[in-house]
Amino acid sequence: MRISLLALFFCNFISAQTQYPKDYFRPPLDIPMQLSGNFGELRPNHFHAGFDLKTNQREGLNVYAIADGYVSRIKISTFGNGKCIYITHPNGYTSVYGHLQTTIGPIQEYVQKTHYAEKSFEIEMYLKPDELPVTKGQLIALSGNTGSSEGPHLHFEIRDSKTEFVINPMFFGYDQKLNDNKKPTISSVFVYPLGENTVVNQSKQPLLLNLSLQKDGTYLAGKVKANGKIGFGINAVDFDDVSNNRNGVFKVTGFLNGDPKYNYKFDTYSFDEMRYINALIDYPRYKKSGQRVQKLFMKTPFALSIIKTDSLHGIIPVEPNLASTYRIEVSDYFGNLNSVTIPIEYDSETPIVNAEPITSKYFVHASKDSNFEKDNMSVFFPAGTFYDDFNMNFDVRNNKIYIHDDTVPVHSNFTITIKDSLYPESMRDKLYIGKGTGYNGTIRKGDVFTAKSKILGQYGLVLDTIPPVIKIVKSVEGKWISDQKKIDFTIGDSLSGIKSYNGYLNGSWVLFEYENKARRITHTFDPQYLVEGENFLKIEVIDNVGNSAIFETHFFRSQQK
């Protein structure tokens, strides 16, 4: 068995190797490369798809094409990667540059024309090879902080152009631009009783193990005394030589008596797999404590391609008269390795700590469709909505539907249906299904409302008759502002949220860029939309149920230079 398992892992390792070009791509910035986030780092609901490159805590650094190619896609969004450029290269790879402040040159001219053609700030363009060619080292943009960025940096990815799988940029020679001689840090190890009657160290609940630092820098865990099926989880991060950022680890392997049982390596994966992070980690612990414990087992197998495992999916049966040793190895891309050794022996002691009591009336089979209904409300879970079977709390009371809580991860959309009997027909267009007051895209057919979600919790119908709010940052009413380059507004909505906004200058649609973190829209004046003397500006904002607000002002401007 030992030989076959080792052969299996060896074959998987060999088959996964691809000869990536090491000297083909240049860095996207012209400052020393430093990471604030690495490939595979654990993020909310996804694995990080590339590098986050530091930009000296400021915006406006030059961003360059890393090789010859053509701009194949441009996406301008208020969330996600914000302003983002995709360049397809002739060697079969595509590079991605996100959170940009602005694009440059011919790319910016193309973007600006599209904004006005579509009369929208949020746009997405797919281009042909001959439309926007670029050369290696060409200035394509300035770094920024747009989209869901939490601070100035450049998000940088490399993808396989055919499959669109994201690939660890380290494979392309960027490891030579970084310094890392530090071992990953293993901060905690947990043991999980996985059988219905399994007891671990007299507990039927997961336990934190004591760790002792050894002379060689590795760790020895306290002895695990158990019966039945168990599994392990770790909390580990990596640091490099030049920053204090807590980055993700590259590879984790669990060995039982020297045989590999469970392994994952952050080399390449698809966007369809991203949400499996919620199956990889101990999700309930994460929701309760913010701690992402990476599990080394699957109770129910899931299709995350980076995982290689044995037939038991990393689960360890602890049997009488068999003492075992489990070792967890954690390494970074540079080969710096840390490990923890865990002695295991069989024990049949009575538990002192029992499993958490089950109070729910309903059981969900993850592999089957489930529908729960009470009064005028129901929820439907298609097969595959959840990773594991679980006992679910469900109820309808006080015009709310209670669907368990958000400590259970959801992989794909489920559907909530509510039939209204409280509001007159004249008000139903202003209703939506919300978690609290948060908006979920809602479809209405008569008095029946449906919405999809990926978060368990409390939902109900929310009435929104309040229009959005528009405020000018600095009044221009009746003023001469000939030297002013921009004009700013803040916009917001207290319930369903903003669906659209538009600005009109002297009757023509003009571009206002939206910064979601500040809820600010900004227009940069363009002489072609201004007139000599008095100018009229109108802003219209509409929320998700159709409430609208209008702000109008006028100002004076001289076009004379």
Side-chain angles (χ1 to χ4, degrees):
M1 185 64 174
R2 179 186 178 106
I3 294 174
S4 63
L5 276 173
L6 287 173
L8 171 66
F9 271 75
F10 183 75
C11 289
N12 281 332
F13 177 79
I14 293 297
S15 65
Q17 301 310 294
T18 300
Q19 296 301 313
Y20 298 104
K22 297 289 186 180
D23 301 312
Y24 191 89
F25 296 128
R26 59 152 287 164
L29 300 170
D30 54 11
I31 61 173
M33 184 177 285
Q34 291 189 39
L35 299 182
S36 59
N38 66 348
F39 185 85
E41 192 169 286
L42 309 181
R43 300 284 179 88
N45 297 316
H46 71 285
F47 303 107
H48 193 226
F51 284 170
D52 282 344
L53 298 174
K54 293 189 176 185
T55 56
N56 295 333
Q57 299 181 330
R58 63 186 180 91
E59 300 182 43
L61 273 64
N62 290 343
V63 178
Y64 303 96
I66 62 171
D68 292 354
Y70 70 96
V71 177
S72 53
R73 181 183 175 193
I74 305 170
K75 185 174 183 179
I76 310 295
S77 174
T78 56
F79 296 95
N81 284 332
K83 297 182 180 181
C84 190
I85 294 174
Y86 302 71
I87 297 177
T88 295
H89 306 283
N91 66 343
Y93 299 101
T94 296
S95 55
V96 182
Y97 314 76
H99 305 310
L100 303 172
Q101 182 188 75
T102 185
T103 53
I104 293 291
I107 302 174
Q108 175 60 13
E109 292 175 9
Y110 191 98
V111 168
Q112 195 74 356
K113 287 179 181 178
T114 307
H115 281 308
Y116 278 86
E118 298 187 10
K119 294 185 177 180
S120 175
F121 172 61
E122 292 198 274
I123 53 177
E124 186 168 13
M125 299 148 279
Y126 292 88
L127 291 83
K128 297 177 181 178
D130 59 348
E131 291 187 270
L132 282 177
V134 295
T135 57
K136 186 174 184 177
Q138 179 178 327
L139 179 63
I140 58 171
L142 300 179
S143 68
N145 186 32
T146 56
S148 299
S149 170
E150 296 181 355
H153 72 280
L154 175 68
H155 176 79
F156 172 66
E157 299 175 19
I158 296 180
R159 303 181 182 181
D160 182 294
S161 297
K162 289 183 179 179
T163 66
E164 293 195 348
F165 273 49
V166 289
I167 305 168
N168 194 328
M170 291 290 191
F171 290 123
F172 295 89
Y174 289 111
D175 56 322
Q176 301 301 312
K177 309 292 184 182
L178 298 163
N179 295 313
D180 185 354
N181 295 290
K182 295 180 179 179
K183 296 180 179 180
T185 299
I186 302 172
S187 57
S188 57
V189 176
F190 289 81
V191 59
Y192 294 80
L194 301 178
E196 185 177 344
N197 298 312
T198 300
V199 179
V200 178
N201 293 355
Q202 295 188 285
S203 174
K204 284 194 167 187
Q205 295 187 28
L207 289 177
L208 175 67
L209 298 177
N210 292 323
L211 299 180
S212 300
L213 182 64
Q214 306 300 292
K215 290 182 179 180
D216 62 358
T218 64
Y219 290 91
L220 177 65
K223 184 177 291 186
V224 170
K225 298 180 178 181
N227 60 74
K229 298 176 180 179
I230 65 172
F232 292 97
I234 62 161
N235 196 338
V237 295
D238 189 40
F239 297 88
D240 59 32
D241 294 351
V242 295
S243 70
N244 294 319
N245 292 88
R246 297 164 61 90
N247 294 323
V249 299
F250 176 62
K251 184 169 68 172
V252 180
T253 307
F255 300 85
L256 182 64
N257 298 326
D259 290 335
K261 292 289 182 180
Y262 200 89
N263 167 277
Y264 50 89
K265 181 173 63 174
F266 290 102
D267 48 12
T268 179
Y269 41 82
S270 74
F271 280 91
D272 291 340
E273 299 178 89
M274 290 293 194
R275 201 169 177 88
Y276 282 121
I277 184 178
N278 294 332
L280 178 71
I281 65 172
D282 181 344
Y283 191 81
R285 186 176 298 275
Y286 165 63
K287 293 302 293 185
K288 293 173 183 176
S289 69
Q291 188 179 41
R292 291 188 178 98
V293 176
Q294 303 169 53
K295 296 185 295 186
L296 291 168
F297 62 89
M298 302 182 194
K299 290 180 67 176
T300 305
F302 54 90
L304 179 55
S305 63
I306 63 172
I307 293 176
K308 305 293 183 288
T309 184
D310 65 357
S311 61
L312 298 179
H313 309 293
I315 294 173
I316 302 159
V318 183
E319 300 171 347
N321 305 317
L322 273 177
S324 303
T325 299
Y326 193 82
R327 186 176 81 257
I328 303 171
E329 291 186 353
V330 183
S331 60
D332 61 23
Y333 181 85
F334 298 88
N336 302 306
L337 184 145
N338 210 338
S339 68
V340 56
T341 300
I342 309 164
I344 305 170
E345 67 178 40
Y346 181 84
D347 186 276
S348 58
E349 291 186 11
T350 303
I352 296 174
V353 179
N354 289 307
E356 293 185 2
I358 297 173
T359 58
S360 61
K361 303 176 183 178
Y362 306 93
F363 187 76
V364 175
H365 292 274
S367 61
K368 298 179 180 179
D369 292 351
S370 299
N371 190 75
F372 300 92
E373 185 173 355
K374 183 179 178 182
D375 299 336
N376 61 333
M377 302 188 185
S378 66
V379 59
F380 173 68
F381 302 112
T385 301
F386 302 103
Y387 303 110
D388 296 309
D389 300 344
F390 73 103
N391 294 283
M392 188 185 76
N393 292 309
F394 169 80
D395 199 5
V396 172
R397 60 183 187 272
N398 300 323
N399 299 312
K400 304 288 183 183
I401 183 170
Y402 293 82
I403 314 168
H404 205 72
D405 60 58
D406 65 358
T407 61
V408 173
V410 178
H411 187 72
S412 54
N413 282 322
F414 59 89
T415 302
I416 302 164
T417 302
I418 300 177
K419 184 174 183 179
D420 171 57
S421 60
L422 298 176
Y423 296 94
E425 175 62 26
S426 61
M427 300 181 71
R428 284 179 176 150
D429 281 341
K430 303 300 181 184
L431 291 171
Y432 65 92
I433 293 177
K435 187 176 186 291
T437 58
Y439 178 78
N440 286 78
T442 302
I443 297 173
R444 178 173 85 94
K445 291 184 178 179
D447 59 354
V448 177
F449 297 78
T450 59
K452 296 184 183 298
S453 181
K454 291 182 180 177
I455 304 173
L456 299 181
Q458 171 189 319
Y459 290 84
L461 288 177
V462 181
L463 178 66
D464 180 6
T465 59
I466 303 172
V469 175
I470 308 169
K471 294 181 180 179
I472 191 167
V473 173
K474 183 179 179 182
S475 177
V476 297
E477 182 75 17
K479 298 179 181 178
W480 282 89
I481 56 167
S482 302
D483 295 328
Q484 189 168 319
K485 296 180 179 180
K486 299 180 179 180
I487 190 165
D488 300 295
F489 293 82
T490 59
I491 58 176
D493 188 80
S494 59
L495 289 173
S496 62
I498 293 169
K499 180 179 182 180
S500 66
Y501 69 90
N502 287 284
Y504 302 90
L505 186 55
N506 299 317
S508 296
W509 185 92
V510 291
L511 175 65
F512 274 83
E513 297 199 3
Y514 182 58
E515 207 319 287
N516 75 78
K517 292 180 284 293
R519 296 183 179 179
R520 177 176 295 196
I521 58 172
T522 300
H523 172 67
T524 300
F525 288 120
D526 185 332
Q528 67 177 309
Y529 299 104
L530 294 164
V531 298
E532 183 71 23
E534 190 174 21
N535 289 261
F536 296 90
L537 181 64
K538 174 183 174 182
I539 308 293
E540 182 179 21
V541 180
I542 302 173
D543 69 17
N544 279 298
V545 295
N547 299 307
S548 64
I550 293 176
F551 183 101
E552 295 181 292
T553 189
H554 70 104
F555 56 87
F556 295 88
R557 192 170 177 102
S558 174
Q559 298 291 83
Q560 304 299 320
K561 294 184 179 180

